[in-house]
Amino acid sequence: MHFVEVAIQNVRGFSPAGRFPLKTGYLILKPPTADVLPLGSLALSLLFADGRGGDSSLVGSAGRSGKAALTFVGQDGMTYRVLRELGGSGSLHRLNPATAQPELVSTDVSEINQYLRGQAGLPPRTTFEQVYCLQLVMLPSRRPRKSAPKAAAAAGAKASGATPSLAAATQVQPAEDVPAAEAKVKVLEKELVTAKAVDQLQFKVDELSSLIFEADSKLKGGEGLKEAIVQAEAAWRAAPSPESLGLPMDILSRVKRYPKAVARRDEALARLETDRDPELEDTSLKVPPLTKNRYFWGGLGAGVLFMGLSVGLGIVAAQPMWRYLALINIPAFGTAALMALRYVEDLQQATRKGSKDNRKDARQKKILDEFELEDAPVRMAVKALNLETYEEIPGALEQKDLLGIRLGELQTQLEEFEASAEYQGAIREGQEMRAQQEELNAELSAKGTYVRDLREVERELSRLKESIALAKAPPVQVAAAPGQAPVPVDPLEDPSPLVLSQAADVLTSDMLSVQALLKDRCVQYLTALTDRRYQGVEWDRDGNAFLLGPNSRIPVGELSPKDIDLYYLALRMTVVEKTCARVKRPFILDDVLTGMDEAKLPLVARMLKHLGTLTQVLHVTGHPGFGQMSDGTVSV
């Protein structure tokens, strides 16, 4: 998991507006002014919204609305974007890998929190705050000192699991006006009663939200079937069919009998060609013209000759016997007439053969036309389906039937799923729990539009009571060792139990195993930061820490503020290093190194640089020395 981008508008400590890309590694965020940049608080408000407007304190200029958005890659590899109007509503979006467009997941605070926990892999708020966020107010030196009764109360709270957050703790000062402070204590006690009631109601609402989310998850088991049905129906509608392609309804029958139609056509044409072969030789013989028949011309010439001789000699000789020569004209002209008649018969015979040829051409055309009635739909189907051969037509047209069968099976599965007792029970449970949630939300609304967090009220009440106690009875000083500043009697709070318990939750291990895992690395960080004044660290079964000096074993709470802060920094960096080997999450440091010796800053920068090779480290600081060691700098 790592952050990709933060976008802000009128957020305290940031520029008035902007979008700032965040890359992996050790990254420096430079604030625009000397004011504290609350990056950790902003991340907590966006990722773990309470829905009661508690993030309105992050708004920059009064009278204007503030907006913030955080884009990050979750443990599931998906990209998410949380957008929130500070003090108002918000939404969660998820980037669709297929379309590269954001899709709305939810606008409900409870659903968003449950989704980020279940899908994106966010840890609980306390774990993220105490392990992956390091703010200035979390340093032990910035927290109030504990008297003996307060230490016992804190131990009881730790045993019960009700450990308050360190994020809003501040240095306690004696009260200037004790009566006014005592009056405010009474007001805070009343507010505490309301805050407890609201906290209990909110706990029930969150529990119901978790149960509703589980019930909805059961109901969403059919979403995959519904999506598959939509896809199957779309594929079924898009599948080719005779109706959609404009083909005959019996196209499959035509395809089945198409081979027989081809065989009949080929057989008929072959038989027709066989019958025509002898006649083709006769029709190839041409009828010679009459003008080329010598018998015709001989008979005609002989008849004309003898006719002329009979007439001419009869006139010249005046003898009647020469007229008988004209009788020879009869066989001569008969021969010519016989040749003419034969020529006419040949023409008639040729004409009869041509008529027969025409009938055979008509028969061939009829055969081809009959085949075209079978062939045209098949060719049309091959072209419409974009196929190579007609044998592929049945397979292409049968896809619609197969898709229809698949669609029916999916619809049957969905009907069986929705009719199951588990599905119906989830619907009923969801309706009942939503009704209960609405009732609880109505009770929360009746308590007030905005009620501060219970832990915040408890912390303020605790600080106020302690300030009154300090005003009435200033703390007693004890003699300090030579060369050391006076140390108050009341010890500082040991941060180890809380940090170790959260590390155990992340690593899903017990306290002793976590201590054994962290010890060596924590000692390495500690000896480097303290110039080897301490050579070891030990924890008891409850997680309380003891630092080992050359000849001493000192409880952490009795250390000087400077040394306990260095130990806390070493412990936190050790926990981040070890937990990131199991699950990577960004490590956010606000400007927590204020007041540290300048000589140690390069060493801390190298340590953070090393953590940047394991996970994303976002360090808010304006110090120029850190920028030289970082993997990048972003001016926010």
Side-chain angles (χ1 to χ4, degrees), residues 31-32 97 99 132 174 226 231 244 270 290 340 345 395 427 434 451 464 495 519-520 575 592 606 627 634:
T99 62
Y132 302 104
K226 292 180 180 179
Q231 295 176 356
S244 62
L290 185 63
E345 289 178 356
I427 292 178
R434 284 188 173 86
V451 178
L464 190 57
K519 183 176 181 179
D520 292 341
V575 170
V592 297
R606 289 195 297 271
V634 178

Side-chain angles (χ1 to χ4, degrees), residues 213-256:
F213 183 81
E214 293 179 1
D216 290 342
S217 299
K218 295 179 181 178
L219 297 179
K220 289 179 180 178
E223 295 297 327
L225 282 175
K226 292 180 180 179
E227 184 177 354
I229 287 174
V230 172
Q231 295 176 356
E233 186 174 2
W236 177 78
R237 294 182 183 279
S241 64
E243 298 89 341
S244 62
L245 299 177
L247 301 175
M249 296 300 297
D250 60 343
I251 183 64
L252 293 178
S253 301
R254 291 175 181 267
V255 172
K256 290 181 180 179

